Amino acid sequence: MKCEKCNKNEATVFYREIINGKETKYALCATCAAEKEKESGLFTSFSPFGGDLLSGFFSPLVTGKKTVRDEKKCTLCGSTFREICSSSKAGCPVCYSVFREEFAPTLMKLHGNTVHRGRVPGRIEKEAEKKNEITELEKLLREAVAAEKYEEAAVLRDKIRTAKGEI
Amino acid sequence: MYWYDETGKEKDVFVSTRVRLARNFTDYPFGDKLGKTGADEIVEKVKNVLRENGGYTYTVLSSIDEIQREAMVEKRIISPEFAKGCKYATLAENRDKKIYVMICEEDHLRIQTILPGFEPEEALKIALETDSLIDNAAKYAFDEKLGYLTHCPTNLGTGMRISVMMFLPALTLLKRMDSVKNELSRVGVTVRGSFGEGSDGGGALWQLSNSVTLGQTEEEIMQKLKEAVSVVAENERELRRELERHDSDRLKDKIMRSYGTMKYSHLLSSSEMMKLYSDVRLGIILGYISGISAEALDMLLISSLPANLEISAGKELSDRERDIIRAKNVKEALPL
């Protein structure tokens, strides 16, 4: 089902608003849902301990028309997004990738439009360094080939293979 | 020695500083979904790392009595959630370095350091050093955009909570804390009472901590908190001076009457102890009361809390018995 607002992305967030007894339903994609949140100023006081507020945001119709059997499950812990909603917590680290789009509006509300800055685990840093090294070696390889320095190119090619093996 | 019985910087206002880092390992579920096997593997992983660094003792929470767990909560070295919920929880404690690592709490790992007085840089440094040790040996769950992945989405990013326990008797007495809370919330600092339920500062003790965990570096978060709480500290000190300028006799009278009650009561409840503590501690800082240090009074307060009191008495106590023993212990600890 397409998002009612942009008509481009898949609708993954379903709202049901009841104001003065009048019910309105929306089916939106993650991006449009986040914008709607900002516009209408809903949930302006978020409680970090708010099972109520957070799960209220997630529920009630998030998984829409899909049957229980069709519901997407996390590949590590088997959680559905419905379960995550009711506890307001992820089941495992992989949930954040599996349900990246579904999480987006909540994370926008909690943390704004920010990305992580600061400390990075050692292995991630090493991987990033290795990738930079490989990029540099590939550049030198292209230059060596262009200059017809084939022996040098062969050495560089071997170095690249080793470095790729290490990631 | 714990944060409450050691000297530290600026203890006239800052009782302690804590840094907590939340970390999880890839390939393991969180919380209830983590079975015994997974929990045992995680505990073993962490023990192997810490063993090489020496000085750690381990407590499996399920193997100690509820009262002992409660006593640890009163000492602020574990969280109430850790004490209650976690079936497989283990605490790794390095008392010399003031490091407390809660294994299998809400997150797989909560690295904590609690230092006496005002020590944000040092507390952060120690926590990050411990983090590096474990990082080298295990795979942390991490996402490029979301940072360190945590059970609760509110902790994503740095997974860092830095807080200070502050003694703010003047701000509390003059009912300025609501306005302090509002001001601080605008700069990303939350305020709540350290003891007592709800938002009231029992003993005029308040906990101020960062609310942002994602989008800023650890250093930035620490600096922002440091700046905000330094302003609060200066406000408190200025208000104390004002109270003295305005009517030092009345202030001294209030303090000394509280001291007298603390010293000579026969029955002393926990809540009354909290009220009197704030007056007496201020009296010590202003120089009206001598013969006991602020740290000694802080230790007296912690040891008079219900679970700690019962453990030192060596038996289960009724409410009445607790009030009698508390009064007796306090009388003996206070100078004439």
Side-chain angles (χ1 to χ4, degrees):
Chain A
M1 177 180 185
K2 292 285 179 204
C3 170
E4 278 174 13
K5 196 167 176 217
C6 65
N7 216 23
K8 278 194 287 189
N9 303 325
E10 268 303 295
T12 54
V13 182
F14 297 81
Y15 285 118
R16 197 180 66 197
E17 239 177 37
I18 300 174
I19 297 171
N20 294 328
K22 184 168 169 266
E23 187 183 89
T24 330
K25 287 184 183 174
Y26 302 95
L28 303 171
C29 70
T31 320
C32 292
E35 271 168 27
K36 180 171 170 54
E37 282 305 281
K38 269 173 114 171
E39 274 162 31
S40 56
L42 293 169
F43 311 110
T44 46
S45 60
F46 173 72
S47 157
F49 310 104
D52 291 342
L53 205 55
L54 193 46
S55 60
F57 173 82
F58 277 124
S59 70
L61 294 167
V62 176
T63 48
K65 292 174 188 169
K66 291 188 177 156
T67 64
V68 171
R69 252 204 326 270
D70 291 342
E71 273 187 75
K72 190 162 58 166
K73 289 195 167 80
C74 172
T75 48
L76 178 67
C77 68
S79 301
T80 58
F81 198 60
R82 191 195 299 266
E83 283 165 7
I84 291 172
C85 295
S86 62
S87 66
S88 309
K89 294 187 177 150
C92 78
V94 177
C95 289
Y96 288 106
S97 322
V98 170
F99 302 111
R100 195 171 284 272
E101 223 190 71
E102 290 89 333
F103 260 116
T106 306
L107 298 184
M108 173 71 88
K109 190 65 215 166
L110 282 174
H111 299 290
N113 198 13
T114 53
V115 294
H116 177 67
R117 290 173 58 232
R119 202 162 165 84
V120 163
R123 71 185 164 92
I124 309 277
E125 255 178 6
K126 286 187 189 124
E127 275 171 31
E129 268 168 31
K130 268 275 167 270
K131 280 185 185 148
N132 287 341
E133 203 189 302
I134 289 169
T135 310
E136 193 51 40
L137 287 169
E138 281 172 344
K139 177 170 164 258
L140 292 171
L141 174 61
R142 282 193 297 274
E143 285 168 5
V145 166
E148 295 181 13
K149 293 178 179 170
Y150 296 117
E151 272 186 32
E152 202 179 299
V155 168
L156 286 165
R157 183 202 58 205
D158 290 341
K159 277 188 181 166
I160 291 168
R161 264 194 208 137
T162 317
K164 279 188 177 169
E166 282 170 12
I167 292 187
Chain B
M1 295 282 262
Y2 287 104
W3 53 268
Y4 48 82
D5 56 5
E6 277 194 34
T7 53
K9 285 187 195 152
E10 301 187 53
K11 269 216 161 176
D12 61 321
V13 177
F14 293 97
V15 181
S16 66
T17 309
R18 177 192 3 219
V19 169
R20 181 271 274 154
L21 301 173
R23 297 286 188 260
N24 291 280
F25 300 109
T26 58
D27 308 329
Y28 291 96
F30 298 133
D32 289 339
K33 286 185 181 275
L34 179 73
K36 186 171 187 314
T37 317
D40 286 346
E41 283 172 17
I42 287 175
V43 172
E44 209 39 51
K45 252 196 246 277
V46 176
K47 270 188 177 174
N48 286 339
V49 174
L50 298 180
R51 203 169 283 142
E52 286 171 37
N53 291 278
Y56 283 87
T57 55
Y58 301 90
T59 310
V60 178
L61 271 279
S62 57
S63 71
I64 63 173
D65 293 335
E66 193 182 327
I67 193 135
Q68 286 172 303
R69 276 177 266 155
E70 196 45 48
M72 289 161 92
V73 174
E74 285 173 356
K75 286 179 180 162
R76 294 294 181 272
I77 57 178
I78 63 174
S79 63
E81 293 75 27
F82 193 60
K84 277 191 213 111
C86 312
K87 273 193 285 198
Y88 312 114
T90 300
L91 174 71
E93 191 181 340
N94 184 324
R95 215 178 282 188
D96 289 335
K97 292 187 185 164
K98 314 277 192 292
I99 301 169
Y100 307 91
V101 182
M102 294 189 278
I103 313 171
C104 300
E105 203 236 35
E106 178 177 288
D107 295 292
H108 296 154
L109 211 58
R110 287 211 165 177
I111 299 166
Q112 283 191 121
T113 177
I114 314 175
L115 300 180
F118 191 39
E119 294 279 12
E121 280 96 348
E122 188 62 18
L124 181 59
K125 177 169 162 281
I126 294 171
L128 292 178
E129 277 169 2
T130 313
D131 180 46
S132 295
L133 291 174
I134 300 171
D135 187 359
N136 287 338
K139 279 171 82 177
Y140 279 150
F142 182 84
D143 179 271
E144 199 183 32
K145 292 206 168 71
L146 303 179
Y148 289 94
L149 298 175
T150 52
H151 193 188
C152 185
T154 54
N155 289 315
L156 288 169
T158 57
M160 172 170 147
R161 196 74 61 197
I162 175 168
S163 55
V164 287
M165 186 188 287
M166 294 183 78
F167 176 57
L168 305 172
L171 283 165
T172 310
L173 180 70
L174 296 172
K175 303 199 190 317
R176 306 280 177 96
M177 285 309 295
D178 281 342
S179 111
V180 168
K181 279 182 206 180
N182 289 336
E183 288 290 318
L184 289 186
S185 73
R186 282 195 245 147
V187 294
V189 177
T190 55
V191 180
R192 58 185 179 93
S194 292
F195 291 90
E197 276 151 30
S199 56
D200 171 66
L205 291 169
W206 300 86
Q207 185 168 298
L208 285 70
S209 46
N210 64 300
S211 49
V212 172
T213 55
L214 176 64
Q216 293 175 14
T217 65
E218 288 82 0
E219 185 66 32
E220 283 166 358
I221 291 170
M222 186 272 289
Q223 284 300 340
K224 281 190 178 146
L225 185 89
K226 188 179 166 189
E227 279 160 24
V229 302
S230 299
V231 171
V232 176
E234 277 321 301
N235 285 349
E236 169 67 26
R237 289 175 180 130
E238 180 52 39
L239 275 181
R240 288 177 193 176
R241 286 191 285 269
E242 246 184 66
L243 281 172
E244 281 193 290
R245 274 194 298 265
H246 177 66
D247 194 341
S248 63
D249 290 325
R250 193 174 292 283
L251 180 64
K252 189 170 184 181
D253 185 58
K254 179 181 191 304
I255 287 171
M256 295 316 287
R257 279 169 187 271
S258 292
Y259 182 79
T261 307
M262 210 191 245
K263 177 78 182 167
Y264 294 107
S265 289
H266 178 63
L267 295 171
L268 189 56
S269 71
S270 215
S271 59
E272 189 174 18
M273 177 68 184
M274 277 286 170
K275 283 200 191 87
L276 299 172
Y277 160 90
S278 64
D279 286 344
V280 175
R281 197 179 197 272
L282 183 59
I284 294 170
I285 288 161
L286 295 178
Y288 300 149
I289 299 170
S290 56
I292 180 168
S293 65
E295 293 77 32
L297 189 73
D298 293 343
M299 183 160 82
L300 193 59
L301 178 71
I302 300 292
S303 60
S304 78
L305 291 171
N308 277 282
L309 189 75
E310 221 169 271
I311 288 174
S312 70
K315 57 177 179 135
E316 226 177 285
L317 300 170
S318 66
D319 288 352
R320 172 58 59 89
E321 283 169 321
R322 267 206 294 274
D323 290 354
I324 293 173
I325 292 177
R326 186 177 290 114
K328 182 168 165 291
N329 290 351
V330 167
K331 185 202 294 291
E332 282 166 12
L334 292 180
L336 289 162

